Amino acid sequence: MANTKLLIIDDDPDYVDGIKSILEKAKYQVDAAYNPKDGIEALKSGNYDLLLLDIMMGRGAEGVMVARKINKDPKLREMPVLIITGIREQMAFLFPGQPAHPRLLPTDELLEKPVDPDLLLEKVDSLLKEAAGKKEEGA
Amino acid sequence: MATKPTFRQEISNLLYASHGDPFSNCIQCGTCSGTCPVAEFMDEPPRRLIGMINANMKEEVLDCNTYWFCASCYHCTVRCPSNIDIASVMYAVKRYSIWHKTYSDELVGPVFSETFMKTVAHNGKSYEPILATTYLFGFGAKEFFQEVQGATRMMLKGRIPVLPSKIKHLKNFQKMIKRIVPIGEET
């Protein structure tokens, strides 16, 4: 697990500190980018096994744009993405009563803030296993 | 890897990516404060607000009313000799305050924005009588009746529609919003 590299793209430094410490305790190697632009650059330069992505960043739902960019890139598309968002609290007034649906974007999984640490680790673990399985199938 | 951002960097992150961190360009000339039509009603004029963001005075920045009073006239942006988009900075601080819920409950601004967005998402355009309810009850009795009287007169003359009107092709417009903010049931 020490060689598993994760990237968090989230603009809330306190939140990043929180999830980072949970993941580092579980022996993952975690990097963070605090805005979508740095995030995309980090994704292109580093070799990450999984991305944890926030949605409400920058001038609005810029996380959506990041996810769309990833889905367009043939190399990055292989990487599992876990969306962690408070979008319902921040934007649900647009469509009252409707939850953020689990396939908000053509990404892999979605967790809503605040996140339960055990659930977070469980999702990260299952996504990594799934991705490893897919790689083996492909090889 | 990236170090933990300061408050100033957090606000920069809420601007256009191409604007980077514009706060260091501020020369504190005060053109923004001098040109701002609502500066006299603000706790801190725009020049001081930028100085405070520069100094990472997070609590003081979030506590003042400056960014809520900004009328978005963009005069400061147009006249800033350092090309800082000050009106966008005001919006960035508003976003920060809304996303982190740091504003007090009685503040009109956030409820007004929310109601505005709701009506636009619902009808494709805003509708004044609904918007007015967000601030009308904060008025004194005299101002309240003055406002109601004025609105009634405008309604009778057909200047304000009695029922909210909807735009043509509303479904397409709502689909467009859902594409930008993909929330709610899958269509």
Side-chain angles (χ1 to χ4, degrees), chain A residues 11-14 17 31-32 34-35 37 42 48 56-61 64 68 90-91 93-95 98-101 103-104, chain B residues 1-5 10 13-17 58 95 99-100 113-114 117-118 121 174 177-186:
Chain A
D11 63 352
D12 185 345
D14 297 328
D17 279 354
D31 284 340
Y34 296 96
N35 62 56
K37 196 180 158 203
Y48 292 99
M56 300 304 285
M57 289 187 287
R59 289 170 300 121
V64 175
R68 285 187 183 139
Q90 288 152 346
M91 291 301 285
F93 59 77
L94 271 183
F95 305 98
Q98 294 187 336
H101 63 72
R103 288 205 291 119
L104 178 89
Chain B
M1 203 62 222
T3 46
K4 191 171 172 172
E10 276 190 79
N13 283 342
L14 295 171
L15 300 169
Y16 283 97
K58 181 175 167 176
R95 270 199 294 283
W99 290 356
H100 292 79
S113 315
E114 192 182 315
M117 284 305 293
K118 249 189 204 168
Q174 284 173 336
I177 299 185
K178 281 197 180 184
R179 168 104 183 128
I180 305 166
V181 187
I183 195 169
E185 286 155 16
E186 268 186 301

Short mmCIF file of all heavy atoms in Angstrom, two decimals, chain A residues 11-14 17 31-32 34-35 37 42 48 56-61 64 68 90-91 93-95 98-101 103-104, chain B residues 1-5 10 13-17 58 95 99-100 113-114 117-118 121 174 177-186:
data_model
loop_
_atom_site.label_atom_id
_atom_site.label_comp_id
_atom_site.label_asym_id
_atom_site.label_seq_id
_atom_site.Cartn_x
_atom_site.Cartn_y
_atom_site.Cartn_z
N ASP A 11 -10.46 22.32 -2.79
CA ASP A 11 -9.99 23.68 -2.47
C ASP A 11 -10.08 24.01 -0.97
O ASP A 11 -9.67 25.07 -0.56
CB ASP A 11 -10.76 24.72 -3.29
CG ASP A 11 -12.25 24.72 -2.98
OD1 ASP A 11 -12.69 23.82 -2.25
OD2 ASP A 11 -12.96 25.62 -3.48
N ASP A 12 -10.61 23.10 -0.18
CA ASP A 12 -10.74 23.37 1.25
C ASP A 12 -9.57 22.72 2.00
O ASP A 12 -9.55 21.51 2.22
CB ASP A 12 -12.09 22.79 1.73
CG ASP A 12 -12.37 23.13 3.18
OD1 ASP A 12 -11.42 23.54 3.89
OD2 ASP A 12 -13.52 22.97 3.61
N PRO A 13 -8.57 23.53 2.41
CA PRO A 13 -7.36 22.95 3.01
C PRO A 13 -7.63 22.15 4.28
O PRO A 13 -6.96 21.14 4.53
CB PRO A 13 -6.48 24.16 3.31
CG PRO A 13 -7.30 25.35 3.08
CD PRO A 13 -8.50 24.98 2.30
N ASP A 14 -8.62 22.58 5.07
CA ASP A 14 -8.89 21.85 6.31
C ASP A 14 -9.47 20.47 6.00
O ASP A 14 -9.14 19.48 6.64
CB ASP A 14 -9.86 22.64 7.20
CG ASP A 14 -9.26 23.96 7.62
OD1 ASP A 14 -8.02 24.01 7.78
OD2 ASP A 14 -10.00 24.95 7.76
N ASP A 17 -6.72 18.22 4.82
CA ASP A 17 -5.93 17.73 5.97
C ASP A 17 -6.61 16.52 6.60
O ASP A 17 -5.96 15.54 6.95
CB ASP A 17 -5.80 18.84 7.03
CG ASP A 17 -4.70 19.82 6.68
OD1 ASP A 17 -3.98 19.55 5.69
OD2 ASP A 17 -4.55 20.83 7.38
N ASP A 31 -0.99 12.93 -2.16
CA ASP A 31 -0.64 14.28 -2.57
C ASP A 31 -1.92 15.10 -2.65
O ASP A 31 -3.00 14.54 -2.80
CB ASP A 31 0.01 14.27 -3.95
CG ASP A 31 1.45 13.78 -3.88
OD1 ASP A 31 2.02 13.83 -2.78
OD2 ASP A 31 1.98 13.36 -4.92
N ALA A 32 -1.77 16.44 -2.57
CA ALA A 32 -2.96 17.28 -2.66
C ALA A 32 -2.74 18.44 -3.61
O ALA A 32 -1.63 18.97 -3.71
CB ALA A 32 -3.32 17.82 -1.28
N TYR A 34 -4.80 22.12 -4.58
CA TYR A 34 -5.87 22.93 -3.99
C TYR A 34 -6.68 23.70 -5.02
O TYR A 34 -7.54 24.49 -4.65
CB TYR A 34 -5.28 23.88 -2.94
CG TYR A 34 -4.69 23.11 -1.78
CD1 TYR A 34 -3.33 22.81 -1.72
CD2 TYR A 34 -5.51 22.66 -0.75
CE1 TYR A 34 -2.80 22.10 -0.66
CE2 TYR A 34 -4.99 21.95 0.31
CZ TYR A 34 -3.63 21.66 0.34
OH TYR A 34 -3.12 20.94 1.39
N ASN A 35 -6.39 23.55 -6.29
CA ASN A 35 -7.27 24.12 -7.30
C ASN A 35 -7.23 23.24 -8.55
O ASN A 35 -6.30 22.46 -8.74
CB ASN A 35 -6.90 25.59 -7.61
CG ASN A 35 -5.51 25.74 -8.18
OD1 ASN A 35 -5.18 25.14 -9.19
ND2 ASN A 35 -4.68 26.55 -7.53
N LYS A 37 -6.61 23.71 -11.64
CA LYS A 37 -5.50 23.88 -12.58
C LYS A 37 -4.27 23.08 -12.10
O LYS A 37 -3.67 22.31 -12.86
CB LYS A 37 -5.16 25.37 -12.67
CG LYS A 37 -4.30 25.75 -13.85
CD LYS A 37 -4.06 27.24 -13.83
CE LYS A 37 -2.82 27.58 -14.62
NZ LYS A 37 -2.24 28.87 -14.18
N ALA A 42 -0.81 18.17 -11.89
CA ALA A 42 -0.29 17.08 -11.06
C ALA A 42 -0.64 15.73 -11.68
O ALA A 42 0.18 14.81 -11.72
CB ALA A 42 -0.86 17.18 -9.65
N TYR A 48 -0.68 8.55 -10.75
CA TYR A 48 -1.53 8.28 -9.59
C TYR A 48 -2.42 7.06 -9.81
O TYR A 48 -2.85 6.79 -10.93
CB TYR A 48 -2.37 9.51 -9.26
CG TYR A 48 -1.54 10.65 -8.76
CD1 TYR A 48 -1.17 11.69 -9.61
CD2 TYR A 48 -1.08 10.67 -7.44
CE1 TYR A 48 -0.37 12.74 -9.15
CE2 TYR A 48 -0.28 11.72 -6.98
CZ TYR A 48 0.07 12.73 -7.83
OH TYR A 48 0.86 13.74 -7.38
N MET A 56 -17.34 21.42 -6.01
CA MET A 56 -17.50 22.87 -5.93
C MET A 56 -16.15 23.54 -5.67
O MET A 56 -15.67 23.60 -4.56
CB MET A 56 -18.48 23.24 -4.81
CG MET A 56 -19.86 22.65 -5.02
SD MET A 56 -20.62 23.10 -6.58
CE MET A 56 -21.08 24.78 -6.23
N MET A 57 -15.54 24.01 -6.76
CA MET A 57 -14.24 24.69 -6.66
C MET A 57 -14.25 25.87 -7.61
O MET A 57 -15.08 25.93 -8.51
CB MET A 57 -13.11 23.74 -7.08
CG MET A 57 -12.83 22.62 -6.12
SD MET A 57 -11.37 21.69 -6.60
CE MET A 57 -11.97 20.77 -8.00
N GLY A 58 -13.30 26.77 -7.41
CA GLY A 58 -13.14 27.89 -8.35
C GLY A 58 -14.38 28.74 -8.46
O GLY A 58 -14.93 29.19 -7.48
N ARG A 59 -14.85 28.93 -9.71
CA ARG A 59 -15.99 29.82 -9.92
C ARG A 59 -17.32 29.08 -9.89
O ARG A 59 -18.35 29.64 -10.23
CB ARG A 59 -15.81 30.56 -11.26
CG ARG A 59 -14.72 31.59 -11.21
CD ARG A 59 -14.40 32.11 -12.57
NE ARG A 59 -13.95 31.04 -13.45
CZ ARG A 59 -14.55 30.71 -14.56
NH1 ARG A 59 -15.62 31.33 -14.96
NH2 ARG A 59 -14.08 29.73 -15.30
N GLY A 60 -17.31 27.82 -9.54
CA GLY A 60 -18.56 27.07 -9.50
C GLY A 60 -18.26 25.60 -9.44
O GLY A 60 -17.38 25.18 -8.70
N ALA A 61 -18.95 24.82 -10.26
CA ALA A 61 -18.75 23.37 -10.23
C ALA A 61 -17.57 22.98 -11.14
O ALA A 61 -17.73 22.24 -12.10
CB ALA A 61 -20.03 22.67 -10.66
N VAL A 64 -16.51 19.33 -12.05
CA VAL A 64 -17.18 18.66 -13.18
C VAL A 64 -16.28 18.75 -14.42
O VAL A 64 -16.12 17.78 -15.16
CB VAL A 64 -18.55 19.33 -13.46
CG1 VAL A 64 -19.19 18.76 -14.69
CG2 VAL A 64 -19.47 19.16 -12.27
N ARG A 68 -14.56 15.78 -16.61
CA ARG A 68 -14.77 15.65 -18.06
C ARG A 68 -13.45 15.60 -18.80
O ARG A 68 -13.29 14.87 -19.77
CB ARG A 68 -15.64 16.81 -18.57
CG ARG A 68 -17.09 16.60 -18.18
CD ARG A 68 -18.02 17.61 -18.78
NE ARG A 68 -19.36 17.33 -18.25
CZ ARG A 68 -20.22 18.25 -17.87
NH1 ARG A 68 -19.91 19.52 -17.97
NH2 ARG A 68 -21.40 17.91 -17.41
N GLN A 90 -24.51 22.64 -1.09
CA GLN A 90 -24.17 23.92 -1.68
C GLN A 90 -25.07 24.30 -2.86
O GLN A 90 -25.27 25.46 -3.13
CB GLN A 90 -22.70 23.90 -2.12
CG GLN A 90 -21.78 23.96 -0.93
CD GLN A 90 -20.45 23.29 -1.22
OE1 GLN A 90 -20.29 22.58 -2.18
NE2 GLN A 90 -19.49 23.53 -0.35
N MET A 91 -25.57 23.31 -3.57
CA MET A 91 -26.31 23.63 -4.79
C MET A 91 -27.72 23.07 -4.85
O MET A 91 -28.44 23.36 -5.78
CB MET A 91 -25.54 23.09 -6.01
CG MET A 91 -24.25 23.79 -6.32
SD MET A 91 -24.45 25.53 -6.65
CE MET A 91 -25.14 25.49 -8.30
N PHE A 93 -30.39 23.74 -3.74
CA PHE A 93 -31.51 24.66 -3.83
C PHE A 93 -31.96 24.84 -5.27
O PHE A 93 -33.06 25.27 -5.54
CB PHE A 93 -31.16 26.01 -3.20
CG PHE A 93 -29.99 26.71 -3.80
CD1 PHE A 93 -30.11 27.38 -4.99
CD2 PHE A 93 -28.77 26.71 -3.16
CE1 PHE A 93 -29.03 28.04 -5.55
CE2 PHE A 93 -27.68 27.36 -3.70
CZ PHE A 93 -27.82 28.03 -4.91
N LEU A 94 -31.10 24.48 -6.21
CA LEU A 94 -31.49 24.59 -7.62
C LEU A 94 -32.57 23.57 -7.97
O LEU A 94 -33.48 23.84 -8.73
CB LEU A 94 -30.28 24.34 -8.52
CG LEU A 94 -29.44 25.54 -8.87
CD1 LEU A 94 -28.34 25.12 -9.82
CD2 LEU A 94 -30.27 26.62 -9.52
N PHE A 95 -32.41 22.40 -7.43
CA PHE A 95 -33.36 21.33 -7.71
C PHE A 95 -33.76 20.74 -6.36
O PHE A 95 -33.28 19.70 -5.96
CB PHE A 95 -32.74 20.26 -8.60
CG PHE A 95 -32.18 20.83 -9.87
CD1 PHE A 95 -30.84 21.11 -9.99
CD2 PHE A 95 -33.03 21.12 -10.93
CE1 PHE A 95 -30.33 21.67 -11.15
CE2 PHE A 95 -32.52 21.68 -12.09
CZ PHE A 95 -31.18 21.96 -12.20
N GLN A 98 -33.84 16.98 -4.45
CA GLN A 98 -33.22 15.92 -5.25
C GLN A 98 -31.79 15.69 -4.78
O GLN A 98 -31.01 16.61 -4.66
CB GLN A 98 -33.21 16.30 -6.73
CG GLN A 98 -34.61 16.38 -7.31
CD GLN A 98 -34.58 16.60 -8.80
OE1 GLN A 98 -33.62 17.11 -9.35
NE2 GLN A 98 -35.65 16.20 -9.47
N PRO A 99 -31.45 14.46 -4.51
CA PRO A 99 -30.07 14.18 -4.09
C PRO A 99 -29.12 14.22 -5.28
O PRO A 99 -29.56 14.15 -6.42
CB PRO A 99 -30.16 12.76 -3.55
CG PRO A 99 -31.30 12.16 -4.29
CD PRO A 99 -32.26 13.26 -4.61
N ALA A 100 -27.83 14.34 -4.97
CA ALA A 100 -26.84 14.22 -6.04
C ALA A 100 -26.87 12.75 -6.46
O ALA A 100 -26.70 11.88 -5.63
CB ALA A 100 -25.47 14.58 -5.52
N HIS A 101 -27.20 12.47 -7.71
CA HIS A 101 -27.32 11.06 -8.06
C HIS A 101 -25.96 10.40 -8.18
O HIS A 101 -24.96 11.07 -8.46
CB HIS A 101 -28.19 10.83 -9.30
CG HIS A 101 -27.65 11.43 -10.55
ND1 HIS A 101 -26.56 10.94 -11.20
CD2 HIS A 101 -28.09 12.49 -11.26
CE1 HIS A 101 -26.34 11.68 -12.26
NE2 HIS A 101 -27.24 12.63 -12.32
N ARG A 103 -24.43 8.64 -10.20
CA ARG A 103 -23.62 8.78 -11.41
C ARG A 103 -23.69 10.22 -11.90
O ARG A 103 -24.13 10.53 -12.99
CB ARG A 103 -24.09 7.78 -12.47
CG ARG A 103 -23.69 6.36 -12.08
CD ARG A 103 -23.55 5.43 -13.24
NE ARG A 103 -24.85 5.17 -13.82
CZ ARG A 103 -25.16 5.47 -15.08
NH1 ARG A 103 -24.27 6.06 -15.85
NH2 ARG A 103 -26.34 5.21 -15.54
N LEU A 104 -23.26 11.10 -10.99
CA LEU A 104 -23.22 12.53 -11.26
C LEU A 104 -22.43 12.79 -12.54
O LEU A 104 -22.75 13.63 -13.35
CB LEU A 104 -22.55 13.21 -10.07
CG LEU A 104 -22.33 14.70 -10.12
CD1 LEU A 104 -23.53 15.43 -9.57
CD2 LEU A 104 -21.12 15.09 -9.28
N MET B 1 5.02 18.53 -3.12
CA MET B 1 3.62 18.78 -3.52
C MET B 1 3.17 20.12 -2.94
O MET B 1 3.84 20.73 -2.14
CB MET B 1 2.76 17.63 -3.00
CG MET B 1 1.47 17.43 -3.75
SD MET B 1 1.74 17.04 -5.47
CE MET B 1 0.53 18.01 -6.28
N ALA B 2 2.03 20.53 -3.39
CA ALA B 2 1.51 21.85 -2.99
C ALA B 2 1.41 21.98 -1.47
O ALA B 2 0.99 21.06 -0.79
CB ALA B 2 0.14 22.05 -3.61
N THR B 3 1.84 23.14 -0.97
CA THR B 3 1.73 23.38 0.47
C THR B 3 0.33 23.92 0.78
O THR B 3 -0.36 24.41 -0.11
CB THR B 3 2.77 24.41 0.93
OG1 THR B 3 2.75 25.49 0.01
CG2 THR B 3 4.16 23.80 1.01
N LYS B 4 -0.04 23.84 2.04
CA LYS B 4 -1.38 24.27 2.44
C LYS B 4 -1.57 25.76 2.11
O LYS B 4 -0.77 26.60 2.51
CB LYS B 4 -1.53 24.03 3.95
CG LYS B 4 -2.93 24.18 4.43
CD LYS B 4 -3.06 23.74 5.87
CE LYS B 4 -4.45 24.09 6.36
NZ LYS B 4 -4.77 23.55 7.65
N PRO B 5 -2.63 26.09 1.37
CA PRO B 5 -2.79 27.48 0.95
C PRO B 5 -3.19 28.41 2.09
O PRO B 5 -3.89 28.00 3.02
CB PRO B 5 -3.91 27.41 -0.10
CG PRO B 5 -4.64 26.15 0.18
CD PRO B 5 -3.69 25.21 0.83
N GLU B 10 -6.47 30.90 -1.02
CA GLU B 10 -7.80 30.28 -1.14
C GLU B 10 -8.73 31.17 -1.96
O GLU B 10 -9.49 30.69 -2.80
CB GLU B 10 -8.40 30.06 0.25
CG GLU B 10 -7.94 28.79 0.93
CD GLU B 10 -8.75 28.51 2.17
OE1 GLU B 10 -9.87 28.02 2.05
OE2 GLU B 10 -8.27 28.84 3.27
N ASN B 13 -7.78 31.05 -5.56
CA ASN B 13 -8.25 29.81 -6.17
C ASN B 13 -9.70 29.90 -6.62
O ASN B 13 -10.16 29.10 -7.42
CB ASN B 13 -8.11 28.63 -5.20
CG ASN B 13 -6.68 28.16 -5.09
OD1 ASN B 13 -5.86 28.46 -5.97
ND2 ASN B 13 -6.37 27.44 -4.04
N LEU B 14 -10.44 30.88 -6.07
CA LEU B 14 -11.84 31.02 -6.45
C LEU B 14 -12.03 31.97 -7.63
O LEU B 14 -13.15 32.24 -8.04
CB LEU B 14 -12.66 31.53 -5.25
CG LEU B 14 -12.74 30.59 -4.06
CD1 LEU B 14 -13.38 31.29 -2.87
CD2 LEU B 14 -13.57 29.36 -4.40
N LEU B 15 -10.93 32.50 -8.16
CA LEU B 15 -11.00 33.39 -9.32
C LEU B 15 -10.74 32.58 -10.59
O LEU B 15 -10.46 31.39 -10.53
CB LEU B 15 -9.96 34.50 -9.20
CG LEU B 15 -10.08 35.41 -7.98
CD1 LEU B 15 -8.84 36.26 -7.85
CD2 LEU B 15 -11.31 36.29 -8.10
N TYR B 16 -10.82 33.25 -11.74
CA TYR B 16 -10.44 32.59 -12.99
C TYR B 16 -9.03 32.05 -12.84
O TYR B 16 -8.16 32.75 -12.31
CB TYR B 16 -10.40 33.60 -14.14
CG TYR B 16 -11.74 33.99 -14.68
CD1 TYR B 16 -12.36 35.16 -14.26
CD2 TYR B 16 -12.38 33.20 -15.64
CE1 TYR B 16 -13.60 35.52 -14.75
CE2 TYR B 16 -13.61 33.57 -16.13
CZ TYR B 16 -14.21 34.73 -15.69
OH TYR B 16 -15.43 35.09 -16.18
N ALA B 17 -8.78 30.86 -13.30
CA ALA B 17 -7.45 30.25 -13.17
C ALA B 17 -6.38 31.17 -13.79
O ALA B 17 -5.27 31.30 -13.26
CB ALA B 17 -7.43 28.89 -13.82
N LYS B 58 -8.40 36.51 7.66
CA LYS B 58 -9.59 35.76 7.26
C LYS B 58 -10.87 36.17 8.02
O LYS B 58 -11.88 36.51 7.41
CB LYS B 58 -9.30 34.27 7.46
CG LYS B 58 -10.41 33.34 7.06
CD LYS B 58 -9.92 31.91 7.21
CE LYS B 58 -11.04 30.93 7.13
NZ LYS B 58 -10.55 29.55 7.18
N ARG B 95 -18.65 33.61 -2.57
CA ARG B 95 -18.68 32.14 -2.74
C ARG B 95 -18.07 31.45 -1.53
O ARG B 95 -18.60 30.48 -1.02
CB ARG B 95 -17.89 31.74 -3.99
CG ARG B 95 -18.71 31.69 -5.25
CD ARG B 95 -18.04 30.86 -6.32
NE ARG B 95 -16.80 31.45 -6.80
CZ ARG B 95 -16.74 32.47 -7.65
NH1 ARG B 95 -17.83 33.01 -8.11
NH2 ARG B 95 -15.57 32.95 -8.04
N TRP B 99 -20.14 28.85 0.60
CA TRP B 99 -19.71 27.45 0.62
C TRP B 99 -19.27 27.00 2.02
O TRP B 99 -19.42 25.84 2.37
CB TRP B 99 -18.58 27.20 -0.39
CG TRP B 99 -19.03 27.28 -1.81
CD1 TRP B 99 -20.32 27.47 -2.24
CD2 TRP B 99 -18.24 27.19 -2.99
NE1 TRP B 99 -20.35 27.51 -3.61
CE2 TRP B 99 -19.10 27.34 -4.09
CE3 TRP B 99 -16.88 27.00 -3.21
CZ2 TRP B 99 -18.65 27.30 -5.41
CZ3 TRP B 99 -16.42 26.96 -4.52
CH2 TRP B 99 -17.30 27.11 -5.61
N HIS B 100 -18.71 27.93 2.78
CA HIS B 100 -18.26 27.58 4.13
C HIS B 100 -19.29 27.98 5.18
O HIS B 100 -19.04 27.82 6.37
CB HIS B 100 -16.91 28.23 4.45
CG HIS B 100 -15.77 27.68 3.63
ND1 HIS B 100 -15.56 28.07 2.33
CD2 HIS B 100 -14.81 26.78 3.92
CE1 HIS B 100 -14.50 27.42 1.86
NE2 HIS B 100 -14.03 26.63 2.81
N SER B 113 -29.64 35.60 -3.35
CA SER B 113 -28.99 34.88 -4.47
C SER B 113 -29.65 33.54 -4.69
O SER B 113 -29.87 33.13 -5.84
CB SER B 113 -27.51 34.60 -4.18
OG SER B 113 -26.89 35.71 -3.66
N GLU B 114 -29.94 32.84 -3.58
CA GLU B 114 -30.54 31.52 -3.68
C GLU B 114 -31.91 31.60 -4.36
O GLU B 114 -32.20 30.84 -5.29
CB GLU B 114 -30.68 30.93 -2.28
CG GLU B 114 -31.01 29.47 -2.28
CD GLU B 114 -31.18 28.91 -0.88
OE1 GLU B 114 -30.35 29.20 -0.01
OE2 GLU B 114 -32.17 28.19 -0.66
N MET B 117 -31.56 32.37 -8.07
CA MET B 117 -31.16 31.18 -8.85
C MET B 117 -32.31 30.20 -9.00
O MET B 117 -32.51 29.61 -10.05
CB MET B 117 -29.97 30.48 -8.18
CG MET B 117 -28.65 31.15 -8.37
SD MET B 117 -28.25 31.40 -10.10
CE MET B 117 -28.06 29.71 -10.64
N LYS B 118 -33.07 30.04 -7.89
CA LYS B 118 -34.21 29.12 -7.91
C LYS B 118 -35.22 29.54 -8.96
O LYS B 118 -35.67 28.72 -9.76
CB LYS B 118 -34.89 29.15 -6.54
CG LYS B 118 -34.74 27.90 -5.71
CD LYS B 118 -35.65 28.07 -4.52
CE LYS B 118 -35.23 27.24 -3.36
NZ LYS B 118 -35.92 27.60 -2.14
N ALA B 121 -33.83 29.05 -12.44
CA ALA B 121 -33.80 27.63 -12.83
C ALA B 121 -35.21 27.11 -13.10
O ALA B 121 -35.40 26.22 -13.93
CB ALA B 121 -33.14 26.81 -11.73
N GLN B 174 -33.26 24.16 -18.87
CA GLN B 174 -33.00 23.40 -17.64
C GLN B 174 -31.98 22.28 -17.88
O GLN B 174 -31.17 21.98 -17.03
CB GLN B 174 -34.32 22.85 -17.08
CG GLN B 174 -35.12 23.93 -16.41
CD GLN B 174 -36.51 23.49 -16.00
OE1 GLN B 174 -37.05 22.54 -16.56
NE2 GLN B 174 -37.09 24.19 -15.04
N ILE B 177 -28.59 23.82 -17.66
CA ILE B 177 -28.13 24.02 -16.27
C ILE B 177 -27.66 22.69 -15.70
O ILE B 177 -26.63 22.62 -15.03
CB ILE B 177 -29.26 24.60 -15.39
CG1 ILE B 177 -29.68 25.95 -15.91
CG2 ILE B 177 -28.78 24.73 -13.94
CD1 ILE B 177 -30.69 26.67 -15.04
N LYS B 178 -28.42 21.63 -15.97
CA LYS B 178 -28.04 20.33 -15.41
C LYS B 178 -26.72 19.83 -15.99
O LYS B 178 -26.04 19.02 -15.38
CB LYS B 178 -29.15 19.31 -15.66
CG LYS B 178 -30.27 19.47 -14.68
CD LYS B 178 -31.16 18.26 -14.62
CE LYS B 178 -32.25 18.51 -13.60
NZ LYS B 178 -33.12 17.39 -13.40
N ARG B 179 -26.40 20.29 -17.19
CA ARG B 179 -25.12 19.91 -17.79
C ARG B 179 -23.98 20.60 -17.04
O ARG B 179 -22.93 20.02 -16.82
CB ARG B 179 -25.14 20.29 -19.28
CG ARG B 179 -23.83 20.23 -19.98
CD ARG B 179 -23.70 19.02 -20.86
NE ARG B 179 -22.37 19.01 -21.45
CZ ARG B 179 -21.55 17.99 -21.40
NH1 ARG B 179 -21.91 16.88 -20.82
NH2 ARG B 179 -20.36 18.06 -21.95
N ILE B 180 -24.22 21.86 -16.64
CA ILE B 180 -23.18 22.60 -15.92
C ILE B 180 -23.09 22.07 -14.49
O ILE B 180 -22.02 21.82 -13.97
CB ILE B 180 -23.49 24.12 -15.89
CG1 ILE B 180 -23.68 24.65 -17.30
CG2 ILE B 180 -22.39 24.88 -15.19
CD1 ILE B 180 -24.30 26.01 -17.38
N VAL B 181 -24.22 21.96 -13.81
CA VAL B 181 -24.25 21.43 -12.46
C VAL B 181 -25.07 20.14 -12.48
O VAL B 181 -26.26 20.15 -12.29
CB VAL B 181 -24.92 22.43 -11.48
CG1 VAL B 181 -24.79 21.94 -10.06
CG2 VAL B 181 -24.32 23.80 -11.64
N PRO B 182 -24.44 19.01 -12.75
CA PRO B 182 -25.20 17.78 -12.94
C PRO B 182 -25.71 17.22 -11.62
O PRO B 182 -25.13 16.34 -11.02
CB PRO B 182 -24.20 16.83 -13.58
CG PRO B 182 -22.87 17.38 -13.23
CD PRO B 182 -23.01 18.81 -12.87
N ILE B 183 -26.82 17.77 -11.18
CA ILE B 183 -27.41 17.29 -9.93
C ILE B 183 -28.86 16.92 -10.20
O ILE B 183 -29.45 17.38 -11.16
CB ILE B 183 -27.30 18.37 -8.83
CG1 ILE B 183 -27.56 17.78 -7.46
CG2 ILE B 183 -28.20 19.54 -9.09
CD1 ILE B 183 -27.23 18.71 -6.33
N GLY B 184 -29.40 16.05 -9.35
CA GLY B 184 -30.79 15.64 -9.53
C GLY B 184 -30.88 14.35 -10.31
O GLY B 184 -29.87 13.73 -10.62
N GLU B 185 -32.12 13.97 -10.61
CA GLU B 185 -32.33 12.69 -11.29
C GLU B 185 -31.70 12.70 -12.67
O GLU B 185 -31.62 13.73 -13.31
CB GLU B 185 -33.83 12.43 -11.44
CG GLU B 185 -34.49 12.04 -10.15
CD GLU B 185 -35.97 12.37 -10.17
OE1 GLU B 185 -36.51 12.59 -11.27
OE2 GLU B 185 -36.55 12.41 -9.09
N GLU B 186 -31.34 11.51 -13.09
CA GLU B 186 -30.79 11.40 -14.44
C GLU B 186 -31.91 11.59 -15.45
O GLU B 186 -33.02 11.11 -15.25
CB GLU B 186 -30.17 10.03 -14.62
CG GLU B 186 -28.71 10.02 -14.28
CD GLU B 186 -28.08 8.69 -14.60
OE1 GLU B 186 -28.55 7.70 -14.04
OE2 GLU B 186 -27.15 8.66 -15.39
#
